[in-house]
Amino acid sequence: MFKTKITEMFNIEYPIIGGAMMWLSRAELVAAVSDAGGLGIMASAIFEDKNSFREEIRKVRKLTDKPFGININMFPAFRPVSNDDYIDVLLDEGVNIVETSGHKAPEEYVNRLKKNDVRMIHKCVGVRYAQKAVKVGVDAVTVVGYENGGATGKLDITSLVLIPRVVDSVDVPVIGGGGVGDGRGFLAMLSLGAEGVIIGTRLMVTDECPLHPNLKEALVKSSELDTRLVMRSIGATHRAWNNAMAQKITELEEKGASLEELAPYIGGEAAKGMFESGEIDAGMISCGQAIGLIESIRPAGEVIKGIIEQARAISKRICH
Ligand SMILES: Cc1cc2nc3c(=O)[nH]c(=O)nc-3n(C[C@H](O)[C@H](O)[C@H](O)COP(=O)(O)O)c2cc1C
């Protein structure tokens, strides 16, 4: 059950993709998702040099022999290693699945990756962007709607409308997401025509996610009302957890703050510090509306299996 073009393309058991999360999608979480039958995606931008990136790829391989992918982040960011360096390493290590994400299509990487038999997914938030990515040669597109945690873009189209629009507009398999927290959302995505489903927010609150327990507990207690859009004023809209830092960022944006003025608050270092220390207002953390569906901190593998079991039970109930 739930065999799709995406399970076939990536040789995985279930069409569930573990969304890459900055600072969090390291070996343990990636391997746990893949080992449970999904596709874990490691966030390359976490790593400050080629060696630590290479070590982490090897660590995934020690934890699981299942397929996994690497995210190449094309959003503007201060990054000590260039994406070409990350690609050097991942090719060298024989990784053959790459997800790109950003404001543009991954034109500059397609030739090199395809020449090396890498299958490519591009993640975006609108029909036009998906079409452009397909035109430059990606094998699959991921689209996430307005509910999603992290970059939401400026279009504000909900998943319920965006996914079928993209499915109807491209001729490659579509992975849908934004707001999926359980088997109900998973099945809804497949009903909308997606061949795979991406989850991010749900995976933040798992045992293998390297987030301080204080934060995980605070997130579990949050509801769907506890997110807000930030960074729209600088053209980088993100859905984030509505903590004191997100409110501070909003206030600064309302006052017309420049990128330089916002930088200390939105920068990765503040977030990283908070993730490690557990001071829940010390940084900004991406978070989707699916946070309202999460009731407990569980192992990532249980989350994946739980989604599949719930989806099977629902299919039985509605298709008899
Ligand atoms: C804490 C967090 C960090 C994220 N970091 C990234 C990232 O670095 N790059 C990226 O492409 N997507 C990032 N995302 C987006 C996820 O990969 C995924 O697309 C999204 O979470 C799916 O929507 P959902 O949160 O509603 O499940 C992040 C999401 C969260 C919650």
Side-chain angles (χ1 to χ4, degrees):
M1 205 170 189
F2 307 129
K3 295 295 167 221
T4 69
K5 289 179 186 154
I6 287 294
T7 56
E8 211 174 286
M9 183 179 288
F10 298 115
N11 194 23
I12 52 178
E13 201 177 346
Y14 306 122
I16 299 182
I17 315 299
M21 296 187 283
M22 189 58 188
W23 304 123
L24 306 178
S25 293
R26 305 183 62 105
E28 288 78 8
L29 182 56
V30 172
V33 171
S34 286
D35 212 50
L39 183 71
I41 310 257
M42 192 158 97
S44 61
I46 297 174
F47 302 95
E48 296 194 348
D49 55 68
K50 289 167 92 170
N51 275 346
S52 56
F53 179 47
R54 188 185 301 278
E55 283 310 307
E56 203 74 4
I57 292 175
R58 292 184 179 174
K59 203 164 163 189
V60 179
R61 291 236 166 83
K62 276 193 198 128
L63 296 168
T64 184
D65 57 1
K66 303 275 179 67
F68 65 96
I70 304 282
N71 174 271
I72 294 291
N73 179 30
M74 301 192 309
F75 290 106
F78 173 73
R79 186 181 299 114
V81 184
S82 79
N83 280 337
D84 287 318
D85 290 337
Y86 291 129
I87 292 173
D88 286 345
V89 174
L90 71 88
L91 290 178
D92 208 27
E93 292 297 313
V95 173
N96 61 0
I97 302 172
V98 164
E99 176 202 65
T100 49
S101 53
H103 293 314
K104 51 182 181 174
E107 213 158 352
E108 61 202 288
Y109 307 120
V110 172
N111 278 348
R112 187 165 175 219
L113 290 171
K114 301 299 281 184
K115 226 185 274 162
N116 284 280
D117 292 327
V118 172
R119 277 152 299 156
M120 288 183 72
I121 312 170
H122 181 67
K123 183 161 67 180
C124 57
V125 293
V127 172
R128 210 158 37 88
Y129 310 124
Q131 286 173 324
K132 178 75 199 290
V134 173
K135 201 166 161 205
V136 305
V138 302
D139 302 286
V141 286
T142 295
V143 277
V144 286
Y146 185 60
E147 303 91 323
N148 95 107
T152 60
K154 58 183 176 190
L155 301 176
D156 298 349
I157 312 295
T158 60
S159 301
L160 202 58
V161 171
L162 180 61
I163 281 78
R165 278 284 294 127
V166 173
V167 166
D168 289 346
S169 309
V170 297
D171 56 6
V172 300
V174 173
I175 297 162
V180 177
D182 57 27
R184 295 171 293 186
F186 168 83
L187 205 53
M189 284 294 159
L190 297 186
S191 307
L192 295 172
E195 299 276 339
V197 181
I198 188 165
I199 53 171
T201 296
R202 180 62 192 93
L203 293 174
M204 269 201 297
V205 196
T206 55
D207 291 343
E208 294 84 352
C209 179
L211 199 55
H212 193 284
N214 286 355
L215 259 169
K216 288 188 199 171
E217 278 155 27
L219 285 165
V220 165
K221 286 189 195 131
S222 302
S223 85
E224 66 282 6
L225 302 174
D226 295 321
T227 74
R228 69 160 58 219
L229 297 183
V230 292
M231 293 157 60
R232 180 152 277 186
S233 65
I234 52 166
T237 312
H238 271 62
R239 185 176 295 284
W241 191 43
N242 189 19
N243 63 355
M245 182 58 94
Q247 288 159 25
K248 166 96 188 160
I249 293 167
T250 306
E251 273 165 34
L252 287 168
E253 289 189 89
E254 282 167 359
K255 284 186 196 146
S258 65
L259 177 59
E260 290 68 35
E261 287 164 324
L262 288 168
Y265 308 100
I266 62 176
E269 288 312 309
K272 188 167 179 246
M274 167 174 83
F275 293 4
E276 286 165 5
S277 71
E279 285 172 57
I280 62 173
D281 288 315
M284 186 194 91
I285 181 166
S286 292
C287 179
Q289 293 177 340
I291 199 65
L293 299 168
I294 303 172
E295 282 165 2
S296 59
I297 303 163
R298 291 160 65 198
E302 264 184 31
V303 168
I304 305 287
K305 305 267 182 208
I307 288 175
I308 296 297
E309 274 164 31
Q310 191 183 19
R312 276 196 185 121
I314 300 169
S315 323
K316 258 198 209 151
R317 175 168 61 77
I318 59 179
C319 307
H320 55 77

